[in-house]
Amino acid sequence: MRWRGTLLYIGQRLLLIVFTVLAVSSIVFIGIHRLPGSVFVSERLRASQMQALLHQYGLDRPLWEQYRDFLLGLLHGDLGISYVNQGVRISPLVGREALVSAEVGALALLFTIGLGMLLGVLAAIRQNTWLDYLFTSTAVVGYSMPNFVVATFLLLVFAVFLQRATGGMLYYQIGWTGTFGSLGEISIPAFALGFPYASVVARLTRASMLEVIRQDYIRTARAKGLPEQLVIVRHALRNALIPVITILGPLVIGILTGSVVIENIFGIPGLGKEFVQSILNRDYNIVVGVFTMYAALVGIANLLVDLLYPLVDPRIRY
Amino acid sequence: MSPPLLEVRDLRIRFFTEDGEVRAVEGVSFDLQEGEILGIVGESGCGKSMTALSIMGLVPEPGRVTGGEIRFKGRDLLSMAPDEVRDIRGKDIAMIFQDPLSSLNPVLKTGFQVAEPMLAHQRADKRRALARAVDLLRQVRVPAAEQRARDYPFQLSGGMRQRAMIAMGLANAPSMLIADEPTTALDVTVQAQILDLLRTLNRETRTAIVLITHNLAVVAGLCSRVIVMYAGQIVEEGSVFDLFERPQHPYTWLLLRSVPRLDRTRPERLRSIEGLPPDLIAPPPGCRFHPRCPFRIEPCFTEPPPLQEVGPGQRAACWVTMRRAHEEMGAATLLDVRPGAGSGVHGPIREPHRG
């Protein structure tokens, strides 16, 4: 039937994701344990105390034994416990942090696609007018600025200038009040994260629209006597979307990795912040856990993007 | 005779390019009667497609209609508001295009695309329009029409796509259908089927058809009247019979001569027309065909010939005409058709001023 091929395809991809995640976590696990020094190196302990601690956490065992235990845990979805914050279980921790990151990432993606496509389409249908020039030059600024510059600039505006201007009534507070951010809290980081990519999407949409509106089938649509808006939305936009979806995969990965920088600037308790913190702490299990989670997110995001193709272009079937 | 369905008068289309103004169509006038099939023939770039697109109000950028009148049922399309023209487009005048694959939207189902003109002009709700689309596909003899309506264009064969295009054109029962090279992208057997279909539809629905083509065989098989265009102007006009039997413009004559014949016992060389069509930014003065014409005489270099009566219902724009070329220049036995070969007038009398 129609859906059997698709389901089979999803199954294959999920299996691939499992293997990728396993490979990534293994490489990171072995790599990080081979680094000189250890978790407790900053605690200035005497040799005997250090030995006792290592023993307590089982870190003095041979590497292959630790790796075997790690793999057994991973198969049960258990990533072990934190060495630095004693007693904290890692799986629920990175799970929650991944949700926080996904929340910001999803809104960033919405900015990227929504804003990018809107500006791209408007620029294309108003080609060579001031609107086109404005949007095109904004896009050039957008993708030539790294996201940390955009983030810092937005902080300056919203957390500093706006606070002064409104006497503290309206401003952006760095950091999170609850476990998950409110819309006000996530929208500015999400914008900073998505803006450079929105520029890329805007440029691509513009170019793709300009190509599509010169196609014969657009002339056919006009020859039918369709109103111009319908010609653009129904006939041009859907076809112009196809190349945009092609770059969605790399784009989602860009947003995921970009979150490492953004979360640290805005103090967001997500996977990206944990990523940096855990490496600084040499909290081995968390480092491995964060990497594992990132690998899974990238895999799933790419799968979702690929599943979008046949929805937009009927010539693609799995 | 009742007033014509379409009257085109002194139509002018220019393209404003960086290299200069391209005079794509200059002073084209013709009529189309109700239920008639009119052929417009000419080489690529002679302005035949642009003439058709201007009737639809779809001349592409940077082109513009710079003068003339296009009267459809007595109303001038060129002076109408864009919304009024849009209302006629796809309802009273429909158009089908050369390459049915690129002319159909790849991401929309065929049935929906056929139904769309009805939706655009509020002729039916979506369910009824889709049902009628299947009927239309059946009418243009698409086999398993219900199944095909659910298919996307890439799943159909070339002939079926063109049938779907025709069904789309007929959706609102227009009084006029413009077919721009409808068979060029199809293979020969399918071409014949499509032409047959157009003929049947014309007979059954009395839809007038303007058939644009460079293929003389297509014209001979389908049209009652023909217009021959060269370099943006009409050079000859007449009934198919007269035009094929007694062409009066040297261009028409050469065009007909260049059709390879299979009924000759001895193989012969392929005949072509010497030279290339002129540059329409700075067209040659006088008759635009004179640089390639074997029968040119002195006035051809300077005076543009008017389109005048050369026989009953036949008009040609030529100072010489083939009657004289045959009588005085031995055109029928002429083997060499290089410019001036028949008349002996080889060079320009006066240096034409350019630019």
Side-chain angles (χ1 to χ4, degrees):
Chain A
M1 282 303 292
R2 253 188 82 190
W3 296 106
R4 246 184 75 196
T6 315
L7 286 176
L8 204 69
Y9 176 77
I10 296 175
Q12 287 172 344
R13 286 288 299 266
L14 285 176
L15 208 65
L16 260 174
I17 291 174
V18 168
F19 277 110
T20 314
V21 167
L22 213 60
V24 167
S25 54
S26 300
I27 291 166
V28 174
F29 182 90
I30 292 162
I32 199 137
H33 279 273
R34 300 292 299 170
L35 281 180
S38 74
V39 194
F40 312 112
V41 82
S42 57
E43 296 187 12
R44 294 163 189 276
L45 301 165
R46 250 171 284 157
S48 60
Q49 285 175 309
M50 174 79 90
Q51 202 51 48
L53 264 177
L54 286 179
H55 185 72
Q56 187 191 335
Y57 286 103
L59 290 168
D60 55 349
R61 292 177 299 156
L63 188 57
W64 70 267
E65 223 173 83
Q66 294 184 42
Y67 180 58
R68 186 199 58 198
D69 287 351
F70 162 71
L71 279 187
L72 283 173
L74 188 63
L75 288 180
H76 295 95
D78 184 5
L79 290 160
I81 51 163
S82 166
Y83 299 129
V84 178
N85 302 305
Q86 299 190 358
V88 173
R89 301 211 68 81
I90 293 169
S91 294
L93 176 77
V94 291
R96 195 182 62 236
E97 285 169 347
L99 272 178
V100 170
S101 292
E103 188 190 11
V104 180
L107 192 63
L109 198 64
L110 202 72
F111 271 129
T112 303
I113 298 171
L115 204 68
M117 293 222 337
L118 184 72
L119 296 191
V121 168
L122 287 177
I125 59 180
R126 294 269 176 275
Q127 193 197 3
N128 296 334
T129 63
W130 63 269
L131 199 77
D132 180 22
Y133 298 138
L134 179 73
F135 289 169
T136 316
S137 38
T138 310
V140 172
V141 172
Y143 68 74
S144 11
M145 253 189 327
N147 55 16
F148 61 86
V149 177
V150 180
T152 317
F153 180 72
L154 287 174
L155 270 186
L156 193 65
V157 171
F158 285 95
V160 181
F161 294 161
L162 207 61
Q163 184 181 24
R164 282 192 202 139
T166 62
M169 275 174 45
L170 193 70
Y171 72 104
Y172 182 77
Q173 174 75 54
I174 296 180
W176 235 229
T177 46
T179 313
F180 298 107
S182 65
L183 196 64
E185 282 171 331
I186 61 172
S187 57
I188 288 174
F191 183 81
L193 187 53
F195 185 59
Y197 298 107
S199 307
V200 175
V201 170
R203 262 176 65 95
L204 190 69
T205 307
R206 177 178 179 273
S208 158
M209 270 302 271
L210 285 179
E211 199 189 304
V212 166
I213 53 184
R214 277 163 186 67
Q215 295 293 318
D216 287 348
Y217 53 81
I218 297 300
R219 187 179 57 186
T220 308
R222 293 204 172 110
K224 289 175 184 177
L226 284 176
E228 193 61 22
Q229 305 93 287
L230 267 185
V231 173
I232 297 295
V233 174
R234 189 186 285 162
H235 287 268
L237 195 57
R238 259 195 83 181
N239 283 287
L241 262 175
I242 296 168
V244 177
I245 287 182
T246 314
I247 66 147
L248 220 53
L251 208 128
V252 167
I253 293 166
I255 285 177
L256 277 172
T257 52
S259 69
V260 174
V261 177
I262 295 294
E263 286 179 9
N264 279 289
I265 291 178
F266 286 94
I268 295 167
L271 214 50
K273 190 145 184 282
E274 193 68 70
F275 178 83
V276 175
Q277 203 54 51
S278 61
I279 291 178
L280 291 177
N281 287 345
R282 298 278 179 101
D283 206 340
Y284 293 163
N285 282 353
I286 297 192
V287 174
V288 177
V290 167
F291 268 101
T292 307
M293 210 62 212
Y294 263 123
L297 278 181
V298 167
I300 288 166
N302 267 323
L303 174 58
L304 290 179
V305 166
D306 286 348
L307 287 179
L308 273 180
Y309 275 114
L311 294 183
V312 175
D313 190 345
R315 287 165 291 189
I316 298 173
R317 279 276 149 77
Y318 296 122
Chain B
M1 202 194 283
S2 57
L5 183 66
L6 181 84
E7 299 163 82
V8 176
R9 290 289 170 274
D10 199 29
L11 181 70
R12 279 158 207 278
I13 301 171
R14 288 193 181 183
F15 279 77
F16 298 88
T17 67
E18 282 175 20
D19 301 327
E21 285 178 29
V22 180
R23 302 169 189 193
V25 173
E26 275 218 314
V28 163
S29 306
F30 63 90
D31 288 347
L32 177 74
Q33 305 296 331
E34 272 175 53
E36 185 185 22
I37 305 184
L38 171 71
I40 302 182
V41 281
E43 307 166 282
S44 313
C46 73
K48 54 193 196 296
S49 287
M50 283 309 137
T51 304
L53 285 172
S54 70
I55 299 169
M56 299 292 284
L58 291 175
V59 176
E61 288 286 317
R64 241 185 7 245
V65 176
T66 54
E69 273 178 27
I70 300 174
R71 300 181 93 63
F72 176 72
K73 292 181 175 168
R75 297 168 70 203
D76 185 11
L77 296 175
L78 294 178
S79 58
M80 272 185 202
D83 267 353
E84 286 180 278
V85 185
R86 188 173 61 72
D87 197 46
I88 289 175
R89 206 148 67 205
K91 193 166 87 187
D92 299 307
I93 309 177
M95 185 160 178
I96 59 177
F97 300 97
Q98 176 170 345
D99 182 353
L101 180 58
S102 66
S103 299
L104 287 167
N105 193 325
V107 303
L108 296 175
K109 288 185 177 159
T110 312
F112 178 75
Q113 295 193 59
V114 173
E116 224 181 357
M118 293 177 263
L119 299 171
H121 296 283
Q122 285 95 40
R123 301 283 285 238
D125 59 44
K126 192 167 174 182
R127 200 175 47 82
R128 280 181 41 205
L130 286 174
R132 170 123 171 81
V134 175
D135 289 342
L136 282 163
L137 287 172
R138 224 172 265 135
Q139 196 191 341
V140 296
R141 293 157 191 67
V142 169
E146 262 169 59
Q147 183 60 46
R148 295 290 86 80
R150 283 196 297 269
D151 281 346
Y152 290 94
F154 75 94
Q155 292 166 308
L156 306 182
S157 70
M160 256 194 280
R161 284 182 207 131
Q162 193 58 289
R163 284 169 197 272
M165 279 297 284
I166 294 172
M168 192 188 298
L170 295 174
N172 287 324
S175 40
M176 176 180 163
L177 179 73
I178 304 172
D180 189 358
E181 307 262 10
T183 57
T184 309
L186 306 173
D187 64 53
V188 182
T189 48
V190 183
Q191 274 188 18
Q193 293 167 7
I194 294 292
L195 293 176
D196 200 42
L197 175 66
L198 286 174
R199 191 185 299 115
T200 314
L201 290 171
N202 169 259
R203 207 168 38 226
E204 285 170 3
T205 62
R206 299 302 294 154
T207 306
I209 297 175
V210 176
L211 181 82
I212 292 161
T213 180
H214 60 261
N215 189 335
L216 291 165
V218 168
V219 170
L222 194 61
C223 303
S224 45
R225 216 154 51 82
V226 197
I227 286 171
V228 183
M229 282 185 75
Y230 180 79
Q233 294 173 327
I234 294 178
V235 293
E236 189 160 6
E237 181 190 348
S239 74
V240 169
F241 183 79
D242 290 337
L243 207 100
F244 275 65
E245 202 61 24
R246 288 181 297 277
Q248 285 308 308
H249 197 284
Y251 178 66
T252 319
W253 182 74
L254 285 165
L255 212 55
L256 287 167
R257 242 177 60 116
S258 67
V259 177
R261 306 272 307 245
L262 295 175
D263 55 353
R264 294 280 155 86
T265 44
R266 271 194 351 196
E268 51 186 334
R269 289 189 56 168
L270 259 169
R271 291 154 155 178
S272 65
I273 305 177
E274 296 272 330
L276 292 168
D279 171 17
L280 293 181
I281 291 176
C287 172
R288 288 188 174 182
F289 187 61
H290 87 254
R292 300 170 78 183
C293 182
F295 310 114
R296 62 193 180 188
I297 54 175
E298 286 175 23
C300 303
F301 289 83
T302 50
E303 297 295 319
L307 196 61
Q308 53 198 354
E309 206 86 3
V310 288
Q314 189 176 3
R315 297 189 298 162
C318 182
W319 291 122
V320 182
T321 72
M322 288 312 294
R323 186 172 296 118
R324 196 174 144 198
H326 279 295
E327 284 164 6
E328 295 173 21
M329 301 174 192
T333 54
L334 195 69
L335 290 174
D336 179 12
V337 289
R338 272 176 298 176
S343 60
V345 180
H346 288 291
I349 304 307
R350 269 202 314 258
E351 205 49 54
H353 25 244
R354 289 219 139 204

